[in-house]
Amino acid sequence: MAFWSRFVASGLTIILIFGCSERSESIRQDSFIKMQETNVDRLLNKASEMKQVEDLFVQGNELLTANRYEDAIAVYDRVVMISPEKTEAWINRGNAHSALQRYEQALSSYDRAISIQSKRDEAWYNRGNALSGMGLDGEAIKSYDKAIAIKPNKYEAWINRGIALTKLQQYTHALASFDKAIAIEPDKHQAYYNKACTYALQKKTTAAISNLQKAIKLFPGKYEKLAKTDPDFAKVRNTEQFRELIH
């Protein structure tokens, strides 16, 4: 089966506008100016701190994209030390741990993100991926359901939900999940390939080949190779239909 994963990245632009007012009494004016200067200093320090956070966050994302996961985690640690409520940093920190198959640490990061913003579909989705990586597919489905409840058109969650259901041999529900993903994004080759896997596991050769053909048409060169060795096709691999499609 072909798993779908994704990380979240976002930026923040901060604009601060300062103002001042006049006072008629010199003593009161002097006091006001000193207070205003203190407030301005605080705002400037806060702006500088937030810019540092955003710069570090971008750096962490670049390291994550470059598959430098340990370095990315180190940078995200700096981000959350300065700004503990930065949800995106906790999510991407979790994704870096997931990439290293450190799923318990990943879950801790996702749960921290959810405690800050419970409606972040990315946190629930990636939490599901980590649970699936741990073989806890039933729990993973619950997290995918949370992500879908927040964002019903999140086709990635529908696809990975279908994979988890297939692993639990709940084939009818799995196919319904893949169909939902296809209804949202008709050209998602991953959905067709995983449908093919689910049919093949049931030895439904015609349906398996039909969906495999669609996946190959949408992404030539990938799925012919994958299907040759994917154990999900073991029950149909020796059929004439499969051999004709996969030379």
Side-chain angles (χ1 to χ4, degrees), residues 216-235:
I216 291 170
K217 184 177 180 181
L218 289 167
F219 202 127
K222 177 179 181 178
Y223 293 112
E224 299 95 317
K225 295 178 182 178
L226 190 57
K228 282 183 180 180
T229 57
D230 193 330
D232 289 349
F233 290 97
K235 293 180 180 179

Side-chain angles (χ1 to χ4, degrees), residues 3-4 95 98 103 106-107 110-111 114 121-147 157 160-161 164 167:
F3 200 67
W4 179 278
N95 291 338
S98 283
Y103 297 120
L107 284 174
Y110 299 138
D111 287 343
I114 290 165
D121 62 275
E122 306 99 322
W124 286 109
Y125 167 71
N126 286 299
R127 187 178 190 274
N129 292 346
L131 288 164
S132 185
M134 297 171 72
L136 301 173
D137 294 297
E139 292 301 309
I141 291 165
K142 293 177 184 178
S143 284
Y144 293 138
D145 285 344
K146 287 279 191 180
N160 287 1
R161 181 179 186 271
K167 288 159 72 176

Side-chain angles (χ1 to χ4, degrees), residues 1 193 196-206 208-209 212 222-247:
M1 306 203 81
Y193 181 79
C197 292
T198 302
Y199 279 122
L201 286 166
Q202 300 174 81
K203 206 173 181 179
K204 296 183 177 180
T205 306
T206 301
I209 297 303
L212 183 55
K222 177 179 181 178
Y223 293 112
E224 299 95 317
K225 295 178 182 178
L226 190 57
K228 282 183 180 180
T229 57
D230 193 330
D232 289 349
F233 290 97
K235 293 180 180 179
V236 302
R237 187 165 285 122
N238 292 325
T239 64
E240 184 178 349
Q241 290 170 281
F242 187 88
R243 289 198 301 269
E244 287 179 356
L245 180 63
I246 307 299
H247 303 294

Side-chain angles (χ1 to χ4, degrees), residues 20-247:
C20 60
S21 60
E22 297 180 357
R23 292 291 184 273
S24 57
E25 294 184 55
S26 60
I27 296 177
R28 291 179 61 188
Q29 184 176 10
D30 182 60
S31 175
F32 176 78
I33 290 171
K34 288 180 180 178
M35 186 179 296
Q36 186 182 57
E37 287 174 350
T38 300
N39 289 338
V40 168
D41 287 343
R42 288 174 181 168
L43 287 168
L44 287 171
N45 288 337
K46 184 65 174 177
S48 176
E49 182 181 281
M50 294 179 77
K51 185 179 186 304
Q52 181 186 6
V53 166
E54 290 307 314
D55 289 345
L56 285 169
F57 180 61
V58 169
Q59 181 185 347
N61 291 346
E62 290 172 350
L63 290 166
L64 183 61
T65 303
N67 301 329
R68 293 173 57 185
Y69 303 121
E70 294 286 8
D71 292 334
I73 290 166
V75 174
Y76 291 134
D77 282 345
R78 293 175 63 190
V79 172
V80 297
M81 185 177 295
I82 301 168
S83 182
E85 302 299 299
K86 189 163 182 62
T87 311
E88 297 89 346
W90 286 110
I91 295 172
N92 282 1
R93 183 180 186 273
N95 291 338
H97 278 297
S98 283
L100 294 168
Q101 298 185 357
R102 298 202 294 244
Y103 297 120
E104 289 186 4
Q105 292 95 319
L107 284 174
S108 179
S109 285
Y110 299 138
D111 287 343
R112 184 72 175 90
I114 290 165
S115 73
I116 300 166
Q117 285 185 288
S118 62
K119 297 296 184 181
R120 288 302 294 258
D121 62 275
E122 306 99 322
W124 286 109
Y125 167 71
N126 286 299
R127 187 178 190 274
N129 292 346
L131 288 164
S132 185
M134 297 171 72
L136 301 173
D137 294 297
E139 292 301 309
I141 291 165
K142 293 177 184 178
S143 284
Y144 293 138
D145 285 344
K146 287 279 191 180
I148 290 165
I150 297 165
K151 189 176 180 181
N153 65 341
K154 193 173 185 67
Y155 58 85
E156 308 98 316
W158 285 109
I159 292 172
N160 287 1
R161 181 179 186 271
I163 292 172
L165 286 162
T166 296
K167 288 159 72 176
L168 293 173
Q169 298 184 6
Q170 296 182 29
Y171 299 128
T172 301
H173 295 303
L175 291 168
S177 281
F178 297 137
D179 285 340
K180 184 65 177 178
I182 291 166
I184 297 166
E185 288 285 341
D187 293 334
K188 280 298 156 193
H189 46 88
Q190 298 94 336
Y192 288 110
Y193 181 79
N194 285 300
K195 274 189 75 175
C197 292
T198 302
Y199 279 122
L201 286 166
Q202 300 174 81
K203 206 173 181 179
K204 296 183 177 180
T205 306
T206 301
I209 297 303
S210 174
N211 281 279
L212 183 55
Q213 284 176 322
K214 291 174 183 176
I216 291 170
K217 184 177 180 181
L218 289 167
F219 202 127
K222 177 179 181 178
Y223 293 112
E224 299 95 317
K225 295 178 182 178
L226 190 57
K228 282 183 180 180
T229 57
D230 193 330
D232 289 349
F233 290 97
K235 293 180 180 179
V236 302
R237 187 165 285 122
N238 292 325
T239 64
E240 184 178 349
Q241 290 170 281
F242 187 88
R243 289 198 301 269
E244 287 179 356
L245 180 63
I246 307 299
H247 303 294

